[in-house]
């Protein structure tokens, strides 16, 4: 839980693992090395001010690679999180969990989340809420399932999950999958390129037929990716079951975890102190909440129209207005839903006609 400023280092630096790599003479799946990080977290805020040649930075793991770009192994993150803010003032690729992968080095993330705000001032350098840059993979998959980015990201090439994804023309069966994930961070483009994507900012390999799955996502906008390199295409693009956060009452309320868990039947979320968080995250103090009930007018038996629990200071979403013969809806009492400080009933005011 420290605040760290890094002004010099030799080769690699990170919050947990500076560099991981695999080297093998094996040729079958059984021969592959599997690097696995489970239940790991970084809480430190970091500022990087030193210039290196093609550097990368990740609060948990700086980089993962296989020797000679061969698929000797993969890296998997399970229930990992970054809570620390990161500021990069140098030419660096930045990821909230993992800085980058080398060529032939697939990555799998399950139930991982970035809460840290990422600020990357490097021109033309990618930054992603989970991974800064993905090297090409060899007819395998990069997978992100049940993950979330809740941190705000500022930079030139920024993705809610991945800053940049590369490919190799010899491996056209490679696949990139983003399934049952949440992107609720604010993405602010700065610099020359100004490329932004909710999931991936940039598919960077020219004339390559990318195969991508975007399924069961909650995002801030419909712009799931920002840029395709010249001649590149999304050959097999699967987009299904996605939803804008602005259209999800659970995210507007800030506390309706049931909505998130019901979405794609993921059942991954619990209530945190500032909104929904993944169940895998450490327990936090009980959130300061209030219960709000919307009820009908007395002449309609004060029927409960909606009950929701919201964080104190959040604004609830009103239910649909029921129709009653001979009555006209004239508003709620009180009229304003802001700055609620106690349990309160919303009364639907009805005025009988004729």
């Amino acid at each position: 839980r420290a605040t760290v400023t890094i002004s010099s280092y030799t080769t690699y630096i990170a919050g947990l693992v500076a560099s991981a790599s695999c080297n093998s003479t094996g040729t079958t799946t059984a021969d592959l090395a599997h690097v696995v990080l489970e239940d790991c977290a970084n809480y430190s805020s970091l500022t990087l001010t030193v210039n290196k040649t093609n550097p990368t930075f990740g609060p948990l793991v700086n980089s993962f690679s296989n020797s000679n770009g061969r698929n000797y192994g993969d890296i998997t993150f399970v229930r990992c999180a970054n809570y620390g803010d990161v500021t990069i003032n140098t030419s660096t690729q930045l990821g909230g969990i993992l800085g980058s992968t080398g060529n032939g080095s697939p990555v799998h993330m399950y139930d991982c989340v970035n809460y840290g705000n990422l600020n990357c001032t490097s021109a033309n350098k990618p930054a992603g809420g989970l991974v800064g840059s993905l090297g090409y993979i060899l007819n395998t998959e990069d997978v992100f399932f049940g993950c979330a980015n809740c941190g705000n990201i500022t930079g030139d090439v920024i993705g809610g999950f991945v800053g940049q994804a590369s490919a190799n023309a010899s491996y056209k069966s490679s696949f990139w999958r983003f399934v049952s994930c949440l992107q609720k961070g604010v993405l602010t483009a700065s610099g020359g390129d100004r490329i932004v994507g909710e999931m991936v900012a940039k598919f960077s390999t020219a004339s390559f037929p990318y195969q991508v799955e975007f399924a069961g996502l909650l995002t801030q906008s419909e712009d799931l990716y920002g840029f395709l390199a010249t001649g590149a295409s999304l050959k097999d693009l699967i987009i299904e079951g996605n939803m804008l956060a602005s259209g999800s009452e659970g995210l507007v309320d800030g506390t309706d975890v049931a909505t998130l868990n019901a979405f794609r039947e993921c059942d991954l979320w619990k209530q945190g102190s500032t909104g929904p968080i993944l169940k895998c995250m450490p327990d936090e103090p009980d959130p300061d909440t209030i219960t709000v009930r919307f009820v009908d007018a007395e002449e309609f038996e004060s029927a409960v129209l909606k009950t929701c629990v919201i964080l104190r200071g959040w604004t609830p979403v009103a239910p649909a207005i029921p129709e009653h013969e001979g009555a006209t809806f004239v508003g709620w009492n009180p009229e304003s839903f802001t700055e609620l400080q106690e349990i309160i009933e919303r009364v639907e005011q009805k005025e009988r006609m004729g």
Side-chain angles (χ1 to χ4, degrees):
R1 295 180 181 271
T3 299
V4 181
T5 299
I6 302 164
S7 58
S8 66
Y9 66 99
T10 304
T11 306
Y12 302 107
I13 192 166
L16 293 179
V17 180
S19 176
S21 61
C22 297
N23 188 352
S24 172
T25 58
T27 58
T28 68
T29 301
D31 296 322
L32 297 181
H34 303 289
V35 178
V36 180
L37 285 82
E38 294 186 359
D39 302 311
C40 297
N42 170 66
Y43 290 89
S44 297
S45 295
L46 302 144
T47 299
L48 187 66
T49 62
V50 62
N51 281 302
K52 302 291 289 184
T53 302
N54 297 320
T56 64
F57 186 77
L60 272 73
V61 177
N62 184 305
S63 63
F64 172 73
S65 63
N66 285 293
S67 62
N68 301 318
R70 301 293 300 275
N71 188 23
Y72 295 136
D74 52 41
I75 187 167
T76 299
F77 296 82
V78 182
R79 298 182 303 274
C80 293
N82 172 53
Y83 288 89
D85 295 339
V86 181
T87 298
I88 302 295
N89 296 323
T90 64
S91 181
T92 301
Q93 301 172 118
L94 172 62
I97 301 290
L98 170 65
S100 69
T101 61
N103 293 328
S105 307
V107 59
H108 306 143
M109 290 193 181
Y110 302 97
D111 304 347
C112 295
V113 62
N114 171 58
Y115 285 103
N117 297 320
L118 309 180
N119 182 14
C120 182
T121 62
S122 307
N124 305 314
K125 291 297 183 181
L130 298 183
V131 182
S133 179
L134 293 172
Y136 66 74
I137 48 179
L138 284 61
N139 295 331
T140 56
E141 296 181 339
D142 284 335
V143 178
F144 300 86
F145 182 87
C147 296
N149 173 58
C150 300
N152 300 330
I153 308 175
T154 302
D156 192 12
V157 180
I158 54 174
F161 273 44
V162 175
Q164 174 177 286
S166 301
N168 185 301
S170 299
Y171 306 104
K172 291 186 171 64
S173 296
S174 302
F175 224 107
W176 293 262
R177 299 186 186 277
F178 303 84
V179 180
S180 296
C181 295
L182 166 69
Q183 199 306 99
K184 63 179 297 187
V186 177
L187 309 179
T188 304
S190 62
D193 286 350
R194 294 178 178 268
I195 298 173
V196 178
E198 292 286 324
M199 290 290 110
V200 181
K202 184 176 183 180
F203 291 101
S204 61
T205 301
S207 304
F208 186 83
Y210 282 90
Q211 299 182 92
V212 183
E213 179 180 13
F214 295 126
L217 307 179
L218 285 167
T219 60
Q220 300 296 307
S221 78
E222 296 178 347
D223 299 324
L224 300 180
Y225 66 93
F227 174 82
L228 276 173
T230 302
S233 65
L234 296 178
K235 173 178 175 290
D236 291 318
L237 176 62
I238 301 171
I239 298 181
E240 61 181 16
N242 299 319
M243 182 188 301
L244 294 182
S246 60
S248 167
E249 184 175 303
L251 289 183
V252 175
D253 276 357
T255 58
D256 192 352
V257 177
T259 298
L260 287 173
N261 285 331
F263 185 65
R264 300 282 294 186
E265 299 181 350
C266 62
D267 195 30
L268 297 171
W269 304 90
K270 66 180 181 180
Q271 179 59 47
S273 59
T274 59
I277 63 174
L278 292 172
K279 288 182 177 178
C280 60
M281 294 299 101
D283 290 335
E284 300 179 356
D286 292 336
D288 184 13
T289 63
I290 61 174
T291 299
V292 178
R293 286 186 293 273
F294 290 83
V295 299
D296 213 335
E298 290 184 2
E299 56 265 41
F300 301 111
E301 300 180 352
S302 299
V304 176
L305 305 175
K306 175 183 177 180
T307 299
C308 59
V309 179
I310 65 171
L311 293 172
R312 191 177 302 276
W314 284 62
T315 301
V317 176
I321 299 171
E323 295 182 0
H324 296 291
E325 184 177 355
T328 301
F329 174 73
V330 295
W332 300 101
N333 179 28
E335 295 181 355
S336 174
F337 297 169
T338 60
E339 299 182 0
L340 298 178
Q341 298 298 320
E342 58 187 5
I343 296 177
I344 188 169
E345 291 187 348
R346 300 271 192 255
V347 178
E348 184 174 326
Q349 301 295 313
K350 294 289 182 180
E351 185 175 282
R352 289 196 175 277
M353 302 293 293

